[in-house]
């Protein structure tokens, strides 16, 4: 594992307040780092605060205490269903080129070349550039959403349940794609899932979260073979296949 750190989260507490309700604490003293080139898993039951943590890392949670320190430029998020984040009125080629129009000095021909390279890199053919998001399957949309992150130069990706909406065969393909891109490009991922089997197949290390707190953290093999916290044991026992 590299000593270089891409993200540090230090003693983070976060809060939500719905109108007329008391301020409610979601994340409780959360601290961890993501190293360059590693896949760090974050696992925990629904409602434990996984999405809140990912949103906080990207600056979408305003009411928090503690520190979030980014050591890479432009971290990007890949969501469970990217459909809502893909402009329905535009073709995939246009969508992929859009960040380059704003952030790159490349001319039209060079931008087109980058878009064509990227669509192939995520395992789709150039024909897909002429399609609309609605004309893609869930797995293909997920490939496009990974391509959007990479074309913006992001080398740290926060993937929030990226394969949870896909059936098992497609899950496997997207996981393999993410791993091969990670190896080729030295990417780092914070990979969020409620599925322990998926975490086991993808990740180098894992953080286990319960009620907004980290209860266990360690190398994947170590945590899965010798879980220390009763909650980790319970999660592992209820997920039989791994
Ligand atoms: N915008 C919000 N306003 C108020 N409370 C919220 C808001 N978003 C999340 N919460 C609360 O924060 C807690 C953590 O939610 P969060 O979505 O982070 O959990 P999660 O672990 O990602 O769950 P899931 O796996 O079901 O997506 C929950 O109790 C939820 O009700």
């Amino acid at each position: 594992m590299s000593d270089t750190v891409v993200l540090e989260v230090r003693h983070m507490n976060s809060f939500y307040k719905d109108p007329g309700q008391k301020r409610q604490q979601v994340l409780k003293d959360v601290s961890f780092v993501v190293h360059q080139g590693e896949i760090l898993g974050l696992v925990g039951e629904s409602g434990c605060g996984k999405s809140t943590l990912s949103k906080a890392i990207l600056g979408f949670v305003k009411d928090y205490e503690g520190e979030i320190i980014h050591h890479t430029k432009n971290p990007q998020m890949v969501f469970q269903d990217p459909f809502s984040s893909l402009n329905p009125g535009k073709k995939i080629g246009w969508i992929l080129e859009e960040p380059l129009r704003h952030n790159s000095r490349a001319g039209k021909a060079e931008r087109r070349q980058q878009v064509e390279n990227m669509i192939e890199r995520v395992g789709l053919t150039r024909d897909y550039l002429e399609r609309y998001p609605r004309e893609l399957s869930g797995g293909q949309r997920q490939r496009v959403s990974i391509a959007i992150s990479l074309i913006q130069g992001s080398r740290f990706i926060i993937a929030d349940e990226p394969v949870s909406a896909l059936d098992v065969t497609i899950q496997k393909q997207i996981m393999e794609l993410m791993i091969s891109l990670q190896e080729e490009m030295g990417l780092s991922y914070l990979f969020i899932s409620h599925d322990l089997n998926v975490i086991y197949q993808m990740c180098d290390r894992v953080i286990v979260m319960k009620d907004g707190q980290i209860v266990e953290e360690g190398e994947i093999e170590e945590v899965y073979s010798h879980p220390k916290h009763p909650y980790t044991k319970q999660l592992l026992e209820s997920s039989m296949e791994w």
Side-chain angles (χ1 to χ4, degrees):
M1 185 166 59
S2 155
D3 288 338
T4 313
V5 166
V6 294
L7 172 75
E8 288 175 70
V9 174
R10 291 191 193 149
H11 301 294
M12 182 148 152
N13 298 308
S14 84
F15 307 86
Y16 284 123
K17 190 176 178 316
D18 289 329
Q21 305 259 314
K22 265 178 64 186
R23 189 173 176 240
Q24 178 206 350
Q25 183 163 5
V26 177
L27 299 176
K28 297 165 192 156
D29 196 22
V30 169
S31 296
F32 66 94
V33 299
V34 182
H35 298 96
Q36 192 190 334
E38 84 166 336
I39 308 183
L40 176 65
L42 172 60
V43 71
E45 283 171 334
S46 182
C48 75
K50 302 185 297 297
S51 294
T52 300
L53 179 58
S54 61
K55 286 179 204 149
I57 291 169
L58 290 180
F60 300 130
V61 173
K62 297 297 169 209
D63 191 359
Y64 76 93
E65 298 162 350
E67 282 181 284
I68 301 165
I69 307 164
H70 288 279
H71 297 280
T72 53
K73 278 188 242 150
N74 206 9
Q76 293 291 317
M77 191 132 171
V78 170
F79 296 98
Q80 178 168 347
D81 181 3
F83 193 52
S84 52
S85 61
L86 300 177
N87 186 335
K90 298 289 183 185
K91 291 180 180 172
I92 299 302
W94 187 95
I95 294 172
L96 264 180
E97 196 182 331
E98 180 63 356
L100 300 177
R101 277 185 211 104
H102 294 289
N103 305 323
S104 143
R105 292 197 192 135
K108 202 169 171 24
E110 197 183 330
R111 290 200 305 261
R112 188 67 194 178
Q113 186 66 51
Q114 287 181 38
V115 165
E116 288 177 355
N117 291 346
M118 189 51 77
I119 200 81
E120 288 176 350
R121 195 143 200 191
V122 298
L124 296 174
T125 56
R126 291 180 190 184
D127 313 345
Y128 285 87
L129 298 174
E130 300 306 320
R131 294 201 191 184
Y132 290 95
R134 64 174 179 275
E135 297 171 331
L136 267 54
S137 69
Q140 290 161 350
R141 287 203 286 265
Q142 209 50 296
R143 287 176 192 272
V144 168
S145 124
I146 293 166
I148 293 171
S149 300
L150 297 178
I151 210 160
Q152 300 185 63
S154 176
R155 294 296 171 263
F156 172 42
I157 293 178
I158 301 167
D160 192 354
E161 304 275 5
V163 297
S164 304
L166 307 174
D167 70 40
V168 178
T169 325
I170 309 296
Q171 264 193 355
K172 195 159 178 284
Q173 291 172 6
I174 298 297
M175 282 157 55
E176 282 168 2
L177 171 70
M178 291 186 76
I179 290 174
S180 71
L181 290 169
Q182 187 254 343
E183 288 171 353
E184 276 169 42
M185 303 173 80
L187 306 178
S188 316
Y189 299 133
L190 176 61
F191 190 96
I192 301 172
S193 180
H194 65 279
D195 184 331
L196 275 97
N197 295 305
V198 167
I199 292 276
Y200 184 72
Q201 290 169 61
M202 281 295 293
C203 300
D204 306 306
R205 285 194 306 132
V206 63
I207 286 173
V208 182
M209 198 177 220
K210 181 178 192 306
D211 299 333
Q213 276 179 304
I214 294 178
V215 295
E216 184 151 2
E217 179 179 357
E219 300 289 326
I220 200 94
E221 292 292 346
E222 179 60 23
V223 170
Y224 276 56
S225 52
H226 303 292
K228 292 193 181 70
H229 196 280
Y231 179 68
T232 315
K233 289 180 190 168
Q234 185 195 321
L235 278 183
L236 286 166
E237 274 159 21
S238 57
S239 122
M240 303 295 283
E241 290 164 50
W242 69 275

